[in-house]
Amino acid sequence: MAERSSALDRFYSVIPAGGVGSRLWPLSRADAPKFLHDLTGSGQTLLRATWERLAPISGPQRVMVVTGRAHRAAVESQVPELTDPNVVLESEPKDSTAAIGLAAAILRRREPDVIIGSFAADHVIHEPAKFRAAVEQAVLAADAGYIATIGITPDEPAVGFGYIDCGEALSIEGAPDALRVESFVEKPDLETARRYVSEGHHLWNAGMFIARADRLLEEIGATQPELLAGLEELAEAWDDHARRGPAVDRIWPKLTKIAIDYSVAEPAAAAGRLAVIPGRFGWDDVGDFASIAKLHSGGRPANLAILGEHARVLSDSASGIVISTTDRIISLIGVQDIVVVDTPDALLVTTSEHAQRVKSVVDALKLSGRDGVL
C-alpha cells in the first residue's frame, strides 16, 4: 500500500490539447478546435470534462496542458484553475511526441522521479471510477519501469483505430490486470479488424500513455535522438521566462513531427517494455460525426440527434444528426443516417457511412487555397 501511495503521489497528468479535428469540419476549426466544443450535450467542453476527470486523480495542481499559442486564452477560460507553470504553449503543431516529450522533460527537471500520464483533451469517457482504477494500475506499471497504456475492448471492427495485441500477464504488485503488449497495429483494413475482434486479444489504442518521465525520454532518445536533444534544450530554458520565448522560436520549428505511437509505443512493444491495462469503462474518441450521432442516439439508429443551442429542425422519418450554429430552419424528410452541419459560412451534408471522408474535404480546401473556412 505504501508503494502504491508513493507512486500515485508522484503522478502528474498531462493533457495534450492540439489538433483541429478535421473530420469534424466545419464545426471544428483552427480557431475553435474539437476540444473546445460541447459534443456530449453535458454543458461542458471536452477539455473541461477531461480536466474534471484527471484533477481528482493527480490533484488539480498537478495537471499540465500542452496547447497552441493561439488557444491559450480559450484554454485558460475553460480551466481557470490552471497555473502559469502548468501551461505549455507550442508555436506550431508538431504531433504527440514533441508535445508529450516536452512536458516530460520539463516535469523531470522539476521532479526527477515524476510519473506522467498523457490523456487527450477531446475524448469522452464514462464511468470515471473505473477510469481512475485503470490509471492507478497503469501508474504502478510505469513505476515498475514499463511504458504503460490503457486499451479499450472493441465492440465493433472499427478501422479508424489502432489495435494493441495483448500477451501474457505481468506480475506487477497492485496492477493485477497488466498485460505485456506484443505489438501495436495502426488502423488495419476491415477484414483484419474483424479478425482482431473475433480473436479476443486485441484492444483499441486510446492514445493514453503513462510512464516515468525518465523512461519516456529514454525511449524517445532511442529512436529520435535529435528530437530528444531539442526537447531537453527547451526544458532547460523553460522555467526562465526571459529565455523561454527565444528558445521556443529557435528550436521548436526544427523538431521532428512524429506521433508517439511510432517513436515510443511500437519500439517499446517490440522490446517487451510496453504494458497495457484493459480499460473497463465507456470510451469514445468522437472522431467523426457518425460517432457523435451514435453517442446521442442511445443505441437507437432510427433517432435523429440535434445539437445546437438555437437549432431549428423539422424532421419527418429522418435519422442521423444535425448540428447547427445558425438560426436557419433545416427540414429533413425521409432521409436516413444523414449528417448535416450548418455554420454561418459553410454547410456539410453527408451520411454516417461516409463521415470519415470529411477529412478529404478539408484537404481539398487546403489545396485550393480556401483556408478562410478552416
Side-chain angles (χ1 to χ4, degrees):
M1 185 61 72
E3 181 180 348
R4 181 186 185 91
S5 298
S6 173
L8 288 171
D9 288 344
R10 291 184 281 118
F11 179 62
Y12 221 106
S13 298
V14 175
I15 305 175
V20 175
S22 55
R23 290 181 179 84
L24 294 180
W25 180 87
L27 181 67
S28 183
R29 311 279 185 109
D31 60 351
K34 174 183 165 187
F35 61 85
L36 293 175
H37 291 275
D38 172 14
L39 300 181
T40 65
S42 66
Q44 291 184 323
T45 64
L46 297 180
L47 172 63
R48 182 67 205 183
T50 303
W51 165 273
E52 294 196 354
R53 188 162 55 244
L54 292 171
I57 302 175
S58 57
Q61 300 306 310
R62 297 178 67 81
V63 182
M64 175 177 279
V65 176
V66 184
T67 193
R69 286 176 174 172
H71 301 134
R72 177 170 192 162
V75 165
E76 292 181 340
S77 172
Q78 287 297 313
V79 190
E81 300 93 331
L82 269 177
T83 58
D84 183 69
N86 282 337
V87 180
V88 174
L89 300 178
E90 305 172 306
S91 58
E92 60 181 289
K94 283 291 181 178
D95 221 319
S96 53
T97 304
I100 299 167
L102 178 57
I106 292 168
L107 290 172
R108 185 179 65 162
R109 284 187 168 270
R110 296 175 186 171
E111 299 180 29
D113 60 352
V114 70
I115 297 170
I116 73 162
S118 171
F119 306 92
D122 55 6
H123 292 179
V124 174
I125 290 177
H126 308 287
E127 303 168 288
K130 293 181 179 179
F131 169 75
R132 177 172 184 152
V135 172
E136 290 178 350
Q137 289 200 51
V139 168
L140 292 171
D143 198 36
Y146 289 93
I147 305 295
T149 188
I150 298 173
I152 306 299
T153 301
D155 58 11
E156 61 180 349
V159 297
F161 302 137
Y163 285 73
I164 300 168
D165 184 8
C166 302
E168 64 184 0
L170 296 169
S171 298
I172 300 173
E173 186 175 352
D177 297 328
L179 305 171
R180 188 183 304 279
V181 174
E182 295 296 330
S183 64
F184 251 61
V185 184
E186 272 302 305
K187 298 181 181 177
D189 58 34
L190 183 58
E191 182 180 346
T192 304
R194 284 175 176 154
R195 178 165 55 84
Y196 288 165
V197 174
S198 66
E199 288 173 350
H201 56 84
H202 286 80
L203 302 172
W204 282 336
N205 170 24
M208 306 179 199
F209 294 99
I210 301 91
R212 292 198 324 250
D214 59 348
R215 282 285 299 111
L216 182 67
L217 294 169
E218 180 184 343
E219 291 286 350
I220 293 173
T223 60
Q224 300 288 326
E226 292 184 5
L227 174 55
L228 176 63
L231 296 175
E232 294 282 22
E233 190 176 352
L234 279 170
E236 191 274 329
W238 197 265
D239 286 333
D240 183 337
H241 285 262
R243 297 170 59 209
R244 179 194 298 175
V248 171
D249 292 340
R250 175 171 51 86
I251 299 168
W252 191 262
K254 300 176 184 177
L255 296 181
T256 302
K257 189 174 184 179
I258 183 171
I260 200 165
D261 309 74
Y262 303 118
S263 65
V264 172
E266 288 186 358
R273 297 191 294 265
L274 189 68
V276 63
I277 309 296
R280 298 186 172 92
F281 49 83
W283 171 86
D284 199 315
D285 78 334
V286 285
D288 59 28
F289 289 112
S291 63
I292 298 177
K294 182 179 177 182
L295 197 65
H296 286 268
S297 70
R300 296 179 294 274
N303 282 6
L304 178 69
I306 301 172
L307 277 72
E309 187 177 356
H310 303 295
R312 304 167 72 190
V313 179
L314 300 176
S315 171
D316 181 1
S317 302
S319 67
I321 186 167
V322 177
I323 302 176
S324 176
T325 62
T326 76
D327 60 0
R328 192 173 8 245
I329 294 176
I330 299 170
S331 300
L332 304 176
I333 303 172
V335 288
Q336 304 302 311
D337 294 323
I338 195 166
V339 173
V340 178
V341 185
D342 184 33
T343 71
D345 62 348
L347 172 67
L348 170 74
V349 180
T350 184
T351 62
S352 295
E353 180 183 357
H354 298 290
Q356 283 275 321
R357 294 171 60 185
V358 173
K359 185 178 184 298
S360 64
V361 176
V362 173
D363 293 340
L365 288 169
K366 288 178 182 176
L367 287 172
S368 65
R370 285 176 281 186
D371 294 352
V373 293
L374 300 178

